């Protein structure tokens, strides 16, 4: 349990940080007033050693000790300036990551650019309170892209937390860091239920779930490959004789269509129902059969393929949530 005074200080610090680093939709360029430098633990020990050497030089009036003390202080100051320059002028841009399932981690693409003419060494980047950092270095005038992991515990829209870029280059005596609050979001699908039960009566043809009997579909012809077609649908022998990738089409009876319905998950709470429907969507997509999804207030027409699967998963992810917000 935290002390109220400490909580108040943390809240004030968070408010100050939000004002100083507001969300930006484009690119952040690190300026002088956005770089913070403090000595590390090793740096504090080094500074204490410098003070001891200087005190000894004063007490014993040793010129060599004076020179050694000022040399150490000069090296410490030079290390501080180099740590500061390692971040100054850096440009940071965040992109939109592909959707993930709840319980996993979203990986946000972060583009680092160099607006100056010297190399950046040993940059560490992490998001929010997640201490799992990624390493990066930049050649003079170059660019680098890193994938920043962010935990995705719940479904909906996951907003990229404030990014921290830090460095201890070149000596490790100082820690220099900056913040960038970039507007980027990731869509998080509900976590699919493990080992979901078969569909209840009336969902599939003769209550067989995904088990389609041999011969229930009649061959109708060939068509050109389209994104979302499975490898099982490709007619490899015919494609070898043609100049394009051929896909088999069938005349499937209407009864082979799968119906995924909200009411078929009765007895579960909302998140458990969404989890089961997510698992059913993935299984139906793997079967290659057309399927519908019916939720309270929304009905998705029967189809199959990658785009239909993403439409259904998006509807499940944003069920009961305002569009575009987590």
């Amino acid at each position: 349990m935290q002390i109220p005074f400490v909580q108040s200080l943390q809240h004030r610090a968070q408010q100050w940080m939000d004002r100083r680093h507001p969300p930006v939709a484009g690119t952040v360029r690190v300026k002088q007033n956005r770089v913070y430098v403090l000595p590390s633990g090793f740096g504090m020990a080094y500074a204490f050693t410098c003070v001891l050497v200087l005190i000894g030089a004063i007490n014993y009036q040793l010129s060599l000790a004076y020179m050694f003390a000022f040399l150490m202080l000069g090296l410490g100051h030079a290390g501080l300036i180099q740590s500061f320059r390692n971040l100054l002028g850096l440009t940071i841009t965040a992109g939109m990551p592909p959707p993930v399932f709840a319980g996993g981690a979203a990986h946000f693409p972060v583009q680092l650019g160099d607006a100056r003419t010297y190399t950046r060494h040993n940059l560490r980047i992490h998001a929010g309170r997640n201490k799992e950092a990624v390493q990066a270095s930049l050649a003079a005038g170059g660019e680098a892209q890193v994938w920043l992991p962010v935990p995705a515990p719940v479904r909906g829209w996951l907003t990229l937390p404030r990014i921290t870029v830090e460095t201890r280059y070149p000596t490790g005596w100082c820690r220099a860091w900056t913040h960038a609050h970039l507007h980027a979001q990731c869509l998080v699908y509900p976590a699919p239920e493990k080992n979901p039960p078969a569909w209840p009566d009336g969902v599939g043809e003769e209550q067989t779930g995904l088990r389609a009997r041999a011969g229930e579909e009649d061959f109708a012809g060939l068509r050109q490959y389209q994104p979302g077609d499975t490898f099982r649908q490709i007619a490899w022998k015919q494609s070898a004789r043609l100049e394009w990738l051929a896909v088999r089409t069938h005349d499937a009876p209407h009864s082979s269509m799968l119906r995924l319905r909200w009411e078929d998950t009765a007895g579960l709470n909302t998140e458990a129902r969404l989890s089961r429907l997510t698992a059913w969507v993935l299984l139906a997509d793997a079967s290659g059969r057309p399927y519908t999804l019916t939720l309270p207030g929304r009905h998705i027409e029967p189809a199959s393929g990658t785009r239909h699967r993403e439409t259904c998963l998006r509807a499940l992810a944003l069920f009961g949530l305002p569009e575009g917000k987590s």
Side-chain angles (χ1 to χ4, degrees), residues 18 24 68 86 93 100 103 112 127 132 169 196 200 209 228 268 279 288 293 295:
D18 291 338
V24 177
F68 189 60
N86 205 32
T93 308
V100 297
L112 302 176
E132 183 180 352
Y169 175 83
L268 302 174
L293 177 64
L295 299 173

Side-chain angles (χ1 to χ4, degrees), residues 10-149:
Q10 291 178 342
H11 181 66
R12 289 176 179 271
Q14 185 67 32
Q15 287 181 328
W16 178 83
M17 192 66 68
D18 291 338
R19 290 194 303 269
R20 192 170 181 83
H21 300 278
V24 177
T27 300
V28 169
R29 186 168 183 264
V30 180
K31 300 180 180 180
Q32 290 91 336
N33 61 346
R34 293 200 173 193
V35 180
Y36 311 97
V37 186
L38 283 176
S40 62
F42 179 47
M44 294 293 291
Y46 180 84
F48 182 70
T49 303
C50 292
V51 172
L52 289 181
V53 173
L54 182 61
I55 292 175
I58 294 173
N59 285 341
Y60 294 100
Q61 293 296 311
L62 296 176
S63 299
L64 187 61
Y66 275 115
M67 183 186 70
F68 189 60
F70 292 139
L71 177 62
M72 292 179 65
L73 290 171
L75 289 174
H77 184 264
L80 184 150
I81 296 298
Q82 288 298 320
S83 296
F84 178 84
R85 290 180 73 248
N86 205 32
L87 295 180
L88 186 62
L90 190 70
T91 59
I92 309 170
T93 308
M96 306 296 264
V100 297
F101 291 96
H107 289 78
F108 287 83
V110 177
Q111 189 81 18
L112 302 176
D114 184 11
R116 296 179 179 261
T117 58
Y118 50 82
T119 304
R120 318 282 182 147
H121 299 277
N122 300 336
L123 302 176
R124 298 181 72 254
I125 307 102
H126 65 89
R129 297 183 179 180
N130 181 24
K131 298 305 179 183
E132 183 180 352
V134 294
Q135 303 280 347
S137 295
L138 289 177
E143 294 183 346
Q145 180 172 283
V146 297
W147 293 87
L148 201 58

